[in-house]
């Protein structure tokens, strides 16, 4: 379709060198073809042209002083993409790979994900090319304070509400909240993922991983199957991976892998969750230490990965949960997964499968839950945290978990019913993209040209 092609070509000219962003846009626009072809109004109102351009992009210098007294400088970003449905909402990522293109891909995905939750939140994303690895607590605090010294003027509980992502957990949110409070004098719900001691929501920490497993459960149930006894591959060893593994055990499945950037652990009888939490949440060390506690497990260093993919996906299993980072599952990985008899993929990470890998899953007609649907439990529970903060209430673990389950079921039904409406019932990529798009696009039309 030339409209879509022309949009991408224009983007490449006006926003050069943002490969991940083009990838995310192309994936969404490709699946919007059926709705764009039959609805002239979206073209008439230039919805696509407006949607691919962020409402506002904030880029700033983040200077800070390291423990040796040296001045360091990083680049900070907050991309406020779309506020048709509510205040901008989306995480902050601190990772050396962060650049404008990565934040724009994440922010663009966030628009549709947030719409799918059915909650009143717009889409945004931010972060910095700061590497928290190996930094002292004092360095992390000084960096977070400097980051907020600029960002505080752009955010607010009804304006833009950041949360965590890679490299940003409760500790970083705490330092950023403290500085925001000091600068503004306001104690409000400006950030989510806060500590349970001072305004955080129960289940927020667990929400993305739990939600991703609930999503897999609903995909399997629709085919008369369950998670019980299924061997599962999980990548990553951070927040999303850990709570994916926890929920898999609770629902009777057997997670046999986890990974970080140093390599993959394969534990045939099942990953020991206590060891994993100790290594990653308490000691914050590399995953190769896992085998010291469990010599029967195998550690595959990243240097031994196949040239065309990731060792974690080469292990036979029935389900796969990519929970580390973007483009961590290649076309070759996807083919091996299918050849090994995998029946379902539920993405905890954002855009972990390359576009070619997604094609392999869709062609094989296995259950495939794209990230923007399957990992929406995190942002949905962040919105529940905002609701609790605004009403000065605190809900129980069971109450929030129950709401999370209902939201994940609604997302699954919304994506699968929309996919069926457009004649491709198995295609949840198409279903999720069209369902999210329709909601945001119609809101934009009703709000006029802004
Ligand atoms: P995290 O706690 O920082 O953990 C990230 C994990 O992925 C770590 O084990 C990390 O290993 C690994 N990883 C990161 N980059 C990697 C790379 N290039 N190669 C191999 N491994 C890599 O972050 P998280 O919150 O779990 O986020 C994981 C994914 O979920 C991201 O795609 C994020 O956008 C998505 N997500 C998160 C949430 C949320 O609520 N946190 C919500 C929705 C989606 P190292 O420590 O060795 O780098």
């Amino acid at each position: 379709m030339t409209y879509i092609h022309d949009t991408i070509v224009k983007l490449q000219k006006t926003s050069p060198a943002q490969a991940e962003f083009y990838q995310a846009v192309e994936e969404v626009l490709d699946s919007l073809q059926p709705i764009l072809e039959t609805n002239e109004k979206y073209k008439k109102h230039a919805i696509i042209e407006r949607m691919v351009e962020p409402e506002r992009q904030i880029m700033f210098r983040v200077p800070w002083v390291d423990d040796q007294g040296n001045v360091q400088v990083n680049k900070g970003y907050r991309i406020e993409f779309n506020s048709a449905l509510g205040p901008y909402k989306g995480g902050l990522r601190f990772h050396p790979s962060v650049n404008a293109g990565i934040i724009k891909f994440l922010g663009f995905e966030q628009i549709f994900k947030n719409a799918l939750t059915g909650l009143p939140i717009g889409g945004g994303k931010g972060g910095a090319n700061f590497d928290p690895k190996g930094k002292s607590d004092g360095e992390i605090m000084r960096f977070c304070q400097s980051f907020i010294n600029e960002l505080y003027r752009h955010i607010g509980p009804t304006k833009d509400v950041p949360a965590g992502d890679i490299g940003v957990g409760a500790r970083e949110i705490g330092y950023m909240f403290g500085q925001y409070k000091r600068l503004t004098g306001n104690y409000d719900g400006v950030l989510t993922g806060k500590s349970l001691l001072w305004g955080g929501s129960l289940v927020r920490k667990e929400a993305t991983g739990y939600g991703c497993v609930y999503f897999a459960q609903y995909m399997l149930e629709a085919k008369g199957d369950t998670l019980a006894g299924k061997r599962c591959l999980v990548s990553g060893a951070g927040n999303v991976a850990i709570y994916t593994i926890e929920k898999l055990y609770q629902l009777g499945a057997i997670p046999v892998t986890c990974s970080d950037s140093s390599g993959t652990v394969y534990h045939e009888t099942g990953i020991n969750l206590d060891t994993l939490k100790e290594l990653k949440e308490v000691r914050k060390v590399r995953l190769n230490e896992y085998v010291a506690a469990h010599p029967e497990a195998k550690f595959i260093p990243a240097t031994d990965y196949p040239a065309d993919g990731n060792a974690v996906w080469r292990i036979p299993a029935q389900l796969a949960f990519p929970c580390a980072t973007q483009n961590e599952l290649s076309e070759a990985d996807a083919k091996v997964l299918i050849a090994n008899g995998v029946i379902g993929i539920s993405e905890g990470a954002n855009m972990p499968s390359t576009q070619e890998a997604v094609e392999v899953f869709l062609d094989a007609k296995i259950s495939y839950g794209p990230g923007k649907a399957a990992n929406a439990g995190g942002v949905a529970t962040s919105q529940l945290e905002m609701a609790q903060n605004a009403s000065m209430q605190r809900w129980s673990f069971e109450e929030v978990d129950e709401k999370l389950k209902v939201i994940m079921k609604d997302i699954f039904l919304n994506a699968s019913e929309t996919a069926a409406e457009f004649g491709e019932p198995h295609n949840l990529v198409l279903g999720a993209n069209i369902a999210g798009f329709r909601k945001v696009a119609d809101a934009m039309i009703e709000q006029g040209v802004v």
Side-chain angles (χ1 to χ4, degrees):
M1 197 183 181
T2 70
Y3 179 39
I4 293 173
H5 173 77
D6 293 351
T7 306
I8 304 268
V9 170
K10 196 168 155 203
L11 267 190
Q12 288 169 341
K13 282 198 185 127
T14 56
S15 305
Q18 300 188 341
E20 290 85 358
F21 177 49
Y22 314 144
Q23 182 185 341
V25 171
E26 200 165 348
E27 185 254 324
V28 170
L29 295 194
D30 271 349
S31 55
L32 294 182
Q33 287 201 25
I35 191 169
L36 294 178
E37 274 163 10
T38 51
N39 285 275
E40 268 299 304
K41 64 177 177 178
Y42 298 126
K43 192 164 179 193
K44 180 167 164 252
H45 291 273
I47 290 297
I48 295 296
E49 291 86 333
R50 283 197 271 157
M51 250 185 211
V52 298
E53 197 57 49
E55 289 176 17
R56 193 169 301 104
Q57 305 189 53
I58 302 147
M59 298 187 197
F60 49 99
R61 179 173 72 196
V62 191
W64 56 283
V65 179
D66 68 20
D67 286 346
Q68 286 70 45
N70 303 312
V71 178
Q72 303 282 348
V73 184
N74 287 97
K75 277 174 98 85
Y77 302 86
R78 185 70 185 167
I79 307 236
E80 298 180 334
F81 233 112
N82 194 300
S83 61
L85 298 181
Y88 310 102
K89 184 89 198 84
L92 297 171
R93 175 176 292 192
F94 291 169
H95 192 272
S97 64
V98 161
N99 57 39
I102 300 249
I103 299 298
K104 278 176 77 177
F105 119 64
L106 290 163
F108 186 71
E109 290 276 296
Q110 199 81 44
I111 304 171
F112 305 96
K113 181 190 306 192
N114 293 3
L116 272 176
T117 66
L119 301 168
I121 38 179
K125 198 85 187 186
N129 64 342
F130 170 74
D131 189 356
K133 278 198 197 92
K135 303 287 190 300
S136 69
D137 261 3
E139 289 176 323
I140 300 273
M141 182 181 75
R142 290 192 293 280
F143 177 81
C144 289
Q145 290 176 339
S146 179
F147 187 84
I148 285 297
N149 283 346
E150 174 57 35
L151 193 65
Y152 85 94
R153 65 190 93 238
H154 305 289
I155 58 178
T158 57
K159 198 172 171 186
D160 183 354
V161 186
D165 190 78
I166 291 178
V168 179
R171 174 181 58 169
E172 291 74 19
I173 294 287
Y175 293 145
M176 288 193 271
F177 183 81
Q179 187 71 355
Y180 169 85
K181 183 161 60 78
R182 184 168 191 201
L183 291 169
T184 62
N186 297 335
Y187 201 114
D188 56 33
V190 68
L191 289 155
T192 57
K194 298 185 290 295
S195 156
L196 294 175
L197 294 176
W198 46 270
S201 173
L202 287 158
V203 197
R204 174 59 192 92
K205 181 175 68 169
E206 297 84 355
T208 309
Y210 279 19
C212 173
V213 177
Y214 291 143
F215 197 87
Q217 186 186 24
Y218 299 134
M219 288 196 296
L220 291 178
E221 270 176 20
K223 294 185 172 172
D225 205 346
T226 69
L227 282 161
K230 299 280 188 307
R231 291 173 64 76
C232 304
L233 305 176
V234 179
S235 66
N239 171 266
V240 180
I242 288 173
Y243 293 95
T244 293
I245 289 174
E246 182 165 288
K247 183 53 73 178
L248 283 171
Y249 275 127
Q250 288 173 8
L251 297 180
I254 310 153
V256 293
T257 63
C258 58
S259 67
D260 65 12
S261 51
S262 72
T264 293
V265 168
Y266 173 42
H267 198 160
E268 199 180 350
T269 51
I271 292 293
N272 186 303
L273 188 57
D274 291 337
T275 305
L276 181 60
K277 284 186 177 177
E278 170 70 21
L279 294 178
K280 289 296 181 181
E281 292 188 333
V282 184
R283 292 177 49 210
K284 299 184 192 295
V285 293
R286 309 271 72 201
L287 214 44
N288 56 356
E289 297 207 17
Y290 183 96
V291 285
H294 304 281
E296 72 282 13
K298 195 174 160 197
F299 181 73
I300 310 161
T303 46
D304 290 354
Y305 284 8
D308 57 358
N310 189 331
V312 69
W313 311 125
R314 307 300 169 101
I315 295 161
Q318 290 145 303
L319 296 168
F321 296 82
C323 295
T325 192
Q326 66 272 2
N327 293 328
E328 55 163 319
L329 196 160
S330 67
E331 180 180 17
D333 293 328
K335 287 181 175 162
V336 175
L337 284 167
I338 299 293
N340 283 340
V342 87
I343 58 167
I345 316 278
S346 190
E347 294 182 339
N350 284 310
M351 206 169 74
S353 309
T354 64
Q355 216 160 346
E356 297 76 21
V358 173
E359 292 300 328
V360 172
F361 298 142
L362 294 178
D363 286 348
K365 294 199 163 43
I366 60 162
S367 296
Y368 170 64
K372 69 169 71 68
N375 72 35
V379 73
T381 309
S382 274
Q383 197 278 347
L384 301 180
E385 183 173 330
M386 288 164 70
Q388 291 169 81
N389 292 161
S391 59
M392 296 198 139
Q393 286 180 10
R394 181 119 196 252
W395 303 338
S396 69
F397 191 97
E398 292 69 28
E399 224 173 331
V400 183
D401 193 30
E402 199 44 49
K403 288 183 199 293
L404 171 63
K405 273 187 215 160
V406 171
I407 291 168
M408 294 314 295
K409 182 139 208 180
D410 285 349
I411 294 173
F412 170 70
L413 291 176
N414 195 358
S416 51
E417 283 164 8
T418 307
E421 180 189 335
F422 285 85
E424 294 192 39
H426 76 282
N427 189 342
L428 297 183
V429 176
L430 180 132
N433 284 336
I434 293 186
F437 169 81
R438 195 155 47 184
K439 214 169 159 203
V440 180
D442 291 346
M444 287 172 75
I445 292 173
E446 287 178 12
Q447 291 172 17
V449 180
V450 286

